[in-house]
Amino acid sequence: MAGNLELLHSVLAQAKAENRAALVGYLPAGFPTVDGGIRAMTEMLDGGCDIVEVGLPHSDPVLDGPVIQTADDIALRGGLKIVDVLRTVREVQAATGAPVLCMTYWNPVDAYGVERFAADLAEAGGAGCILPDLPVEESEVWRKAAEQHGLATVFVVAPSSRDERLAKITAAGSGFVYAASLMGVTGTRESVGLEAQELVGRTRATTELPVCVGLGVSNATQAAEVARFADGVIVGSAFVKRLLEADGDEEAGLAGVRALAGELAEGVRKRF
């Protein structure tokens, strides 16, 4: 079974046709529980997200800030396995028809088996993988498996990436490019800053792929700011915070996630 790379292309193209940025939401699988995470991601998409990233929690999440680390820890203490991540992808995609990607560090994929992971993610209806710690020079085995199974390979670029490096990364990627708006770990910020706009411009000079910006966006104002210059706006920690703030009240958490998705969706549609 082929994955949903073409669906990802279609959704990003549709957002562009509507003269707006796509809204991409992120939550780790298994948080607050496997079933609760599936419901929350479904609410995010129903509330206004175009695409969702399902995080594969990791015990050493080098890119993730304290909010997502807290959620990862809850998921891992709950006994989360890769099969639960794949089930999350499958059920969210089936419930919404939206593109669902997996965001994961490389070690779990390598341990599971590269070909097996690509095949199982595609079978679950996944659209691709975001691999923040996989160097492009070491990615050929994964990229071949992903291409064979109809999956995107999304690489992360950062403000520190030189132009030559950007070109190498974007040439190897597919689906879209994940532009980290600033150096450091994930988390909400008071301001997303000018670094992101400069990075998007430099990245676009190397590729026709859409460029989506993540790390720091937490509200509609910031979403609107980033949507002026990016093809997509990625939000993770702010969604996790809504669930954490619900403090075990599942309905309140789901309502919070859906409301935030709606606010952000309005933000990416603002005209300036």
Side-chain angles (χ1 to χ4, degrees):
M1 177 178 172
N4 272 316
L5 173 58
E6 290 306 317
L7 176 62
L8 177 64
H9 286 159
S10 175
V11 167
L12 287 166
Q14 180 62 34
K16 184 176 182 179
E18 293 172 6
N19 193 31
R20 67 175 179 87
L23 178 59
V24 185
Y26 165 92
L27 279 177
F31 169 72
T33 62
V34 176
D35 288 340
I38 290 167
R39 284 192 286 271
M41 291 177 209
T42 302
E43 289 291 332
M44 286 161 60
L45 288 160
D46 289 345
C49 287
D50 300 289
I51 298 162
V52 76
E53 299 173 10
V54 177
L56 197 163
H58 192 262
S59 55
D60 185 24
V62 292
L63 186 72
D64 297 323
V67 172
I68 290 176
Q69 284 187 27
T70 298
D72 280 0
D73 186 54
I74 290 168
L76 291 169
R77 283 192 283 112
L80 184 84
K81 301 286 189 275
I82 287 183
V83 66
D84 301 311
V85 178
L86 293 167
R87 179 188 151 211
T88 299
V89 171
R90 178 180 293 106
E91 294 196 13
V92 172
Q93 207 287 316
T96 63
V100 182
L101 297 110
C102 179
M103 185 165 188
T104 176
Y105 294 98
W106 178 244
N107 190 52
V109 176
D110 194 34
Y112 188 85
V114 175
E115 169 64 28
R116 180 186 172 206
F117 189 85
D120 288 356
L121 181 59
E123 190 278 328
C129 242
I130 302 165
L131 297 154
D133 67 338
L134 178 63
V136 68
E137 294 84 359
E138 299 170 22
S139 67
E140 186 176 359
V141 171
W142 165 260
R143 286 189 287 119
K144 282 186 174 178
E147 185 176 359
Q148 180 184 346
H149 291 286
L151 298 170
T153 297
V154 179
F155 288 109
V156 178
V157 298
S160 59
S161 304
R162 296 180 180 273
D163 291 349
E164 183 182 339
R165 180 74 181 159
L166 285 176
K168 190 170 189 176
I169 292 169
T170 59
S174 56
F176 64 90
V177 182
Y178 187 127
S181 65
L182 35 75
M183 299 301 294
V185 298
T186 59
T188 59
R189 301 288 194 279
E190 290 301 314
S191 173
V192 180
L194 294 174
E195 278 188 322
Q197 186 167 357
E198 182 188 353
L199 176 59
V200 169
R202 291 198 297 122
T203 303
R204 280 194 176 138
T206 72
T207 184
E208 295 296 315
L209 289 173
V211 183
C212 302
V213 170
L215 272 67
V217 177
S218 61
N219 58 50
T221 301
Q222 290 173 335
E225 176 192 349
V226 173
R228 292 204 308 258
F229 58 81
D231 299 297
V233 179
I234 302 170
V235 181
S237 295
F239 282 115
V240 173
K241 270 187 164 179
R242 292 289 175 108
L243 290 175
L244 288 171
E245 287 166 357
D247 198 24
D249 183 335
E250 183 175 327
E251 292 308 314
L254 293 175
V257 160
R258 186 182 183 105
L260 178 59
E263 293 161 16
L264 294 165
E266 285 186 19
V268 301
R269 286 166 171 81
K270 280 189 177 175
R271 299 290 185 267
F272 290 88

Short mmCIF file of all heavy atoms in Angstrom, two decimals, residues 208-255:
data_model
loop_
_atom_site.label_atom_id
_atom_site.label_comp_id
_atom_site.label_asym_id
_atom_site.label_seq_id
_atom_site.Cartn_x
_atom_site.Cartn_y
_atom_site.Cartn_z
N GLU A 208 11.68 24.24 -4.90
CA GLU A 208 10.27 24.52 -5.18
C GLU A 208 9.37 23.96 -4.09
O GLU A 208 8.15 24.17 -4.11
CB GLU A 208 9.87 23.90 -6.54
CG GLU A 208 10.58 24.51 -7.74
CD GLU A 208 10.23 25.98 -7.93
OE1 GLU A 208 9.03 26.31 -7.84
OE2 GLU A 208 11.15 26.78 -8.15
N LEU A 209 9.94 23.20 -3.16
CA LEU A 209 9.14 22.62 -2.09
C LEU A 209 8.54 23.72 -1.21
O LEU A 209 9.19 24.75 -0.97
CB LEU A 209 9.99 21.70 -1.21
CG LEU A 209 10.46 20.37 -1.79
CD1 LEU A 209 11.44 19.70 -0.83
CD2 LEU A 209 9.28 19.45 -2.08
N PRO A 210 7.33 23.51 -0.67
CA PRO A 210 6.80 24.45 0.32
C PRO A 210 7.71 24.51 1.54
O PRO A 210 8.36 23.52 1.89
CB PRO A 210 5.43 23.85 0.68
CG PRO A 210 5.10 22.92 -0.44
CD PRO A 210 6.39 22.40 -0.95
N VAL A 211 7.76 25.66 2.16
CA VAL A 211 8.58 25.84 3.37
C VAL A 211 7.64 26.18 4.53
O VAL A 211 6.93 27.18 4.50
CB VAL A 211 9.62 26.97 3.18
CG1 VAL A 211 10.50 27.08 4.44
CG2 VAL A 211 10.48 26.71 1.95
N CYS A 212 7.64 25.31 5.54
CA CYS A 212 6.77 25.47 6.71
C CYS A 212 7.63 25.81 7.92
O CYS A 212 8.68 25.20 8.13
CB CYS A 212 5.96 24.20 6.96
SG CYS A 212 4.93 23.69 5.57
N VAL A 213 7.17 26.75 8.72
CA VAL A 213 7.95 27.27 9.84
C VAL A 213 7.40 26.75 11.16
O VAL A 213 6.19 26.84 11.43
CB VAL A 213 7.96 28.81 9.84
CG1 VAL A 213 8.57 29.36 11.13
CG2 VAL A 213 8.74 29.32 8.63
N GLY A 214 8.30 26.23 11.99
CA GLY A 214 7.93 25.77 13.32
C GLY A 214 8.90 26.28 14.36
O GLY A 214 9.88 26.94 14.05
N LEU A 215 8.64 25.98 15.61
CA LEU A 215 9.39 26.38 16.80
C LEU A 215 9.03 27.81 17.22
O LEU A 215 9.57 28.78 16.71
CB LEU A 215 10.92 26.28 16.62
CG LEU A 215 11.55 24.93 16.97
CD1 LEU A 215 11.10 23.87 15.98
CD2 LEU A 215 13.05 25.02 17.03
N GLY A 216 8.07 27.91 18.10
CA GLY A 216 7.78 29.20 18.72
C GLY A 216 6.40 29.75 18.53
O GLY A 216 5.97 30.61 19.29
N VAL A 217 5.66 29.31 17.52
CA VAL A 217 4.33 29.88 17.26
C VAL A 217 3.33 29.33 18.28
O VAL A 217 3.22 28.12 18.47
CB VAL A 217 3.85 29.54 15.84
CG1 VAL A 217 2.44 30.07 15.61
CG2 VAL A 217 4.82 30.13 14.81
N SER A 218 2.61 30.24 18.93
CA SER A 218 1.69 29.79 19.98
C SER A 218 0.32 30.45 19.94
O SER A 218 -0.58 30.04 20.65
CB SER A 218 2.30 30.02 21.36
OG SER A 218 2.54 31.40 21.57
N ASN A 219 0.15 31.49 19.10
CA ASN A 219 -1.14 32.18 19.09
C ASN A 219 -1.46 32.69 17.69
O ASN A 219 -0.62 32.61 16.77
CB ASN A 219 -1.14 33.32 20.11
CG ASN A 219 -0.03 34.33 19.87
OD1 ASN A 219 0.15 34.81 18.75
ND2 ASN A 219 0.71 34.67 20.92
N ALA A 220 -2.67 33.21 17.52
CA ALA A 220 -3.14 33.62 16.20
C ALA A 220 -2.31 34.77 15.63
O ALA A 220 -2.07 34.83 14.43
CB ALA A 220 -4.61 34.03 16.29
N THR A 221 -1.86 35.68 16.48
CA THR A 221 -1.07 36.81 16.01
C THR A 221 0.25 36.34 15.41
O THR A 221 0.67 36.77 14.34
CB THR A 221 -0.79 37.80 17.16
OG1 THR A 221 -2.04 38.25 17.68
CG2 THR A 221 0.04 38.98 16.70
N GLN A 222 0.92 35.43 16.12
CA GLN A 222 2.18 34.88 15.60
C GLN A 222 1.93 34.05 14.35
O GLN A 222 2.72 34.09 13.40
CB GLN A 222 2.86 34.03 16.67
CG GLN A 222 3.40 34.84 17.83
CD GLN A 222 3.93 33.96 18.95
OE1 GLN A 222 3.51 32.81 19.10
NE2 GLN A 222 4.85 34.49 19.73
N ALA A 223 0.83 33.30 14.32
CA ALA A 223 0.50 32.50 13.14
C ALA A 223 0.31 33.41 11.93
O ALA A 223 0.78 33.11 10.83
CB ALA A 223 -0.75 31.67 13.40
N ALA A 224 -0.36 34.53 12.13
CA ALA A 224 -0.58 35.49 11.04
C ALA A 224 0.74 36.09 10.58
O ALA A 224 0.98 36.27 9.37
CB ALA A 224 -1.54 36.58 11.50
N GLU A 225 1.62 36.37 11.54
CA GLU A 225 2.93 36.95 11.21
C GLU A 225 3.73 35.99 10.32
O GLU A 225 4.26 36.37 9.28
CB GLU A 225 3.70 37.22 12.51
CG GLU A 225 5.12 37.73 12.32
CD GLU A 225 5.92 37.70 13.61
OE1 GLU A 225 5.34 37.49 14.69
OE2 GLU A 225 7.15 37.88 13.52
N VAL A 226 3.78 34.73 10.72
CA VAL A 226 4.55 33.74 9.97
C VAL A 226 3.89 33.43 8.63
O VAL A 226 4.56 33.22 7.61
CB VAL A 226 4.73 32.45 10.80
CG1 VAL A 226 5.38 31.35 9.98
CG2 VAL A 226 5.57 32.74 12.05
N ALA A 227 2.55 33.43 8.61
CA ALA A 227 1.81 33.11 7.38
C ALA A 227 2.05 34.14 6.28
O ALA A 227 1.81 33.84 5.10
CB ALA A 227 0.32 33.01 7.69
N ARG A 228 2.54 35.31 6.63
CA ARG A 228 2.83 36.32 5.61
C ARG A 228 3.96 35.88 4.69
O ARG A 228 4.03 36.29 3.55
CB ARG A 228 3.23 37.66 6.27
CG ARG A 228 2.09 38.35 6.99
CD ARG A 228 2.38 39.85 7.09
NE ARG A 228 3.69 40.14 7.65
CZ ARG A 228 3.90 40.53 8.92
NH1 ARG A 228 2.89 40.67 9.73
NH2 ARG A 228 5.12 40.79 9.35
N PHE A 229 4.89 35.05 5.22
CA PHE A 229 6.07 34.71 4.42
C PHE A 229 6.32 33.20 4.27
O PHE A 229 7.20 32.81 3.50
CB PHE A 229 7.32 35.39 4.99
CG PHE A 229 7.63 35.05 6.42
CD1 PHE A 229 8.27 33.86 6.75
CD2 PHE A 229 7.28 35.91 7.44
CE1 PHE A 229 8.58 33.55 8.08
CE2 PHE A 229 7.57 35.62 8.78
CZ PHE A 229 8.23 34.43 9.08
N ALA A 230 5.57 32.37 4.98
CA ALA A 230 5.80 30.92 4.92
C ALA A 230 4.64 30.21 4.25
O ALA A 230 3.53 30.72 4.19
CB ALA A 230 6.01 30.36 6.33
N ASP A 231 4.90 29.01 3.76
CA ASP A 231 3.84 28.20 3.14
C ASP A 231 3.03 27.43 4.17
O ASP A 231 1.91 26.98 3.88
CB ASP A 231 4.46 27.20 2.15
CG ASP A 231 5.21 27.90 1.04
OD1 ASP A 231 4.56 28.64 0.27
OD2 ASP A 231 6.44 27.73 0.94
N GLY A 232 3.59 27.27 5.35
CA GLY A 232 2.88 26.57 6.41
C GLY A 232 3.35 27.04 7.77
O GLY A 232 4.49 27.50 7.92
N VAL A 233 2.49 26.95 8.75
CA VAL A 233 2.78 27.34 10.13
C VAL A 233 2.62 26.10 11.00
O VAL A 233 1.54 25.48 11.01
CB VAL A 233 1.83 28.46 10.61
CG1 VAL A 233 2.13 28.83 12.05
CG2 VAL A 233 1.93 29.68 9.70
N ILE A 234 3.68 25.72 11.71
CA ILE A 234 3.68 24.50 12.52
C ILE A 234 3.58 24.87 13.99
O ILE A 234 4.36 25.70 14.49
CB ILE A 234 4.96 23.69 12.27
CG1 ILE A 234 5.09 23.33 10.78
CG2 ILE A 234 4.96 22.42 13.13
CD1 ILE A 234 6.44 22.74 10.39
N VAL A 235 2.63 24.27 14.69
CA VAL A 235 2.41 24.57 16.12
C VAL A 235 2.36 23.26 16.90
O VAL A 235 1.59 22.36 16.55
CB VAL A 235 1.09 25.35 16.32
CG1 VAL A 235 0.89 25.66 17.80
CG2 VAL A 235 1.08 26.63 15.49
N GLY A 236 3.19 23.17 17.94
CA GLY A 236 3.22 21.96 18.74
C GLY A 236 3.04 22.21 20.23
O GLY A 236 2.05 21.82 20.83
N SER A 237 4.01 22.93 20.82
CA SER A 237 4.00 23.12 22.28
C SER A 237 2.72 23.76 22.78
O SER A 237 2.23 23.43 23.87
CB SER A 237 5.21 23.96 22.70
OG SER A 237 6.41 23.28 22.44
N ALA A 238 2.15 24.68 22.01
CA ALA A 238 0.93 25.36 22.45
C ALA A 238 -0.24 24.38 22.57
O ALA A 238 -1.07 24.50 23.48
CB ALA A 238 0.57 26.49 21.49
N PHE A 239 -0.30 23.39 21.66
CA PHE A 239 -1.35 22.37 21.76
C PHE A 239 -1.11 21.47 22.98
O PHE A 239 -2.05 21.11 23.71
CB PHE A 239 -1.40 21.52 20.49
CG PHE A 239 -2.10 22.18 19.34
CD1 PHE A 239 -1.40 22.51 18.18
CD2 PHE A 239 -3.45 22.49 19.40
CE1 PHE A 239 -2.04 23.12 17.12
CE2 PHE A 239 -4.11 23.11 18.34
CZ PHE A 239 -3.40 23.43 17.19
N VAL A 240 0.14 21.09 23.19
CA VAL A 240 0.47 20.25 24.35
C VAL A 240 0.09 20.98 25.63
O VAL A 240 -0.47 20.39 26.56
CB VAL A 240 1.98 19.90 24.34
CG1 VAL A 240 2.36 19.17 25.63
CG2 VAL A 240 2.32 19.03 23.13
N LYS A 241 0.38 22.29 25.68
CA LYS A 241 0.06 23.09 26.88
C LYS A 241 -1.43 23.05 27.19
O LYS A 241 -1.83 22.98 28.37
CB LYS A 241 0.50 24.54 26.68
CG LYS A 241 1.90 24.85 27.14
CD LYS A 241 2.15 26.34 27.04
CE LYS A 241 3.37 26.75 27.85
NZ LYS A 241 3.63 28.20 27.73
N ARG A 242 -2.26 23.13 26.17
CA ARG A 242 -3.71 23.10 26.39
C ARG A 242 -4.13 21.81 27.09
O ARG A 242 -5.00 21.81 27.97
CB ARG A 242 -4.48 23.27 25.07
CG ARG A 242 -4.33 24.65 24.43
CD ARG A 242 -5.09 25.72 25.20
NE ARG A 242 -4.86 27.06 24.66
CZ ARG A 242 -5.77 27.75 23.98
NH1 ARG A 242 -6.97 27.24 23.74
NH2 ARG A 242 -5.49 28.97 23.54
N LEU A 243 -3.53 20.70 26.67
CA LEU A 243 -3.86 19.42 27.29
C LEU A 243 -3.30 19.32 28.71
O LEU A 243 -3.96 18.82 29.61
CB LEU A 243 -3.34 18.26 26.44
CG LEU A 243 -4.06 18.06 25.09
CD1 LEU A 243 -3.37 16.97 24.29
CD2 LEU A 243 -5.53 17.70 25.30
N LEU A 244 -2.09 19.83 28.91
CA LEU A 244 -1.50 19.80 30.25
C LEU A 244 -2.30 20.67 31.22
O LEU A 244 -2.52 20.30 32.38
CB LEU A 244 -0.05 20.28 30.20
CG LEU A 244 0.97 19.34 29.55
CD1 LEU A 244 2.31 20.04 29.39
CD2 LEU A 244 1.14 18.07 30.38
N GLU A 245 -2.74 21.83 30.73
CA GLU A 245 -3.49 22.75 31.59
C GLU A 245 -4.85 22.20 31.99
O GLU A 245 -5.42 22.61 33.00
CB GLU A 245 -3.66 24.10 30.87
CG GLU A 245 -2.37 24.91 30.80
CD GLU A 245 -2.45 26.06 29.81
OE1 GLU A 245 -3.50 26.19 29.13
OE2 GLU A 245 -1.47 26.82 29.72
N ALA A 246 -5.37 21.25 31.18
CA ALA A 246 -6.66 20.64 31.52
C ALA A 246 -6.55 19.72 32.73
O ALA A 246 -7.57 19.37 33.35
CB ALA A 246 -7.20 19.86 30.32
N ASP A 247 -5.31 19.34 33.06
CA ASP A 247 -5.04 18.59 34.30
C ASP A 247 -5.93 17.36 34.45
O ASP A 247 -6.56 17.15 35.49
CB ASP A 247 -5.20 19.52 35.51
CG ASP A 247 -4.52 18.95 36.76
OD1 ASP A 247 -3.60 18.14 36.61
OD2 ASP A 247 -4.95 19.31 37.87
N GLY A 248 -5.99 16.56 33.39
CA GLY A 248 -6.74 15.30 33.46
C GLY A 248 -8.19 15.39 33.07
O GLY A 248 -8.86 14.36 32.94
N ASP A 249 -8.72 16.59 32.88
CA ASP A 249 -10.11 16.75 32.44
C ASP A 249 -10.13 16.62 30.92
O ASP A 249 -9.84 17.57 30.20
CB ASP A 249 -10.65 18.12 32.87
CG ASP A 249 -12.12 18.32 32.52
OD1 ASP A 249 -12.61 17.67 31.57
OD2 ASP A 249 -12.78 19.15 33.18
N GLU A 250 -10.45 15.43 30.44
CA GLU A 250 -10.30 15.15 29.01
C GLU A 250 -11.15 16.06 28.14
O GLU A 250 -10.69 16.58 27.12
CB GLU A 250 -10.65 13.69 28.70
CG GLU A 250 -10.46 13.33 27.24
CD GLU A 250 -10.69 11.86 26.96
OE1 GLU A 250 -10.40 11.02 27.84
OE2 GLU A 250 -11.16 11.56 25.85
N GLU A 251 -12.39 16.28 28.52
CA GLU A 251 -13.27 17.11 27.71
C GLU A 251 -12.77 18.55 27.64
O GLU A 251 -12.83 19.19 26.60
CB GLU A 251 -14.71 17.06 28.24
CG GLU A 251 -15.38 15.70 28.08
CD GLU A 251 -15.30 15.17 26.66
OE1 GLU A 251 -15.57 15.94 25.71
OE2 GLU A 251 -14.96 13.98 26.48
N ALA A 252 -12.28 19.06 28.76
CA ALA A 252 -11.72 20.42 28.77
C ALA A 252 -10.49 20.49 27.88
O ALA A 252 -10.29 21.47 27.15
CB ALA A 252 -11.37 20.84 30.19
N GLY A 253 -9.65 19.45 27.94
CA GLY A 253 -8.45 19.42 27.10
C GLY A 253 -8.80 19.40 25.63
O GLY A 253 -8.21 20.13 24.82
N LEU A 254 -9.77 18.57 25.25
CA LEU A 254 -10.18 18.48 23.85
C LEU A 254 -10.78 19.80 23.37
O LEU A 254 -10.50 20.26 22.26
CB LEU A 254 -11.19 17.35 23.66
CG LEU A 254 -10.66 15.92 23.88
CD1 LEU A 254 -11.80 14.92 23.79
CD2 LEU A 254 -9.57 15.58 22.88
N ALA A 255 -11.58 20.43 24.22
CA ALA A 255 -12.18 21.72 23.87
C ALA A 255 -11.09 22.78 23.69
O ALA A 255 -11.15 23.61 22.77
CB ALA A 255 -13.17 22.16 24.94
#
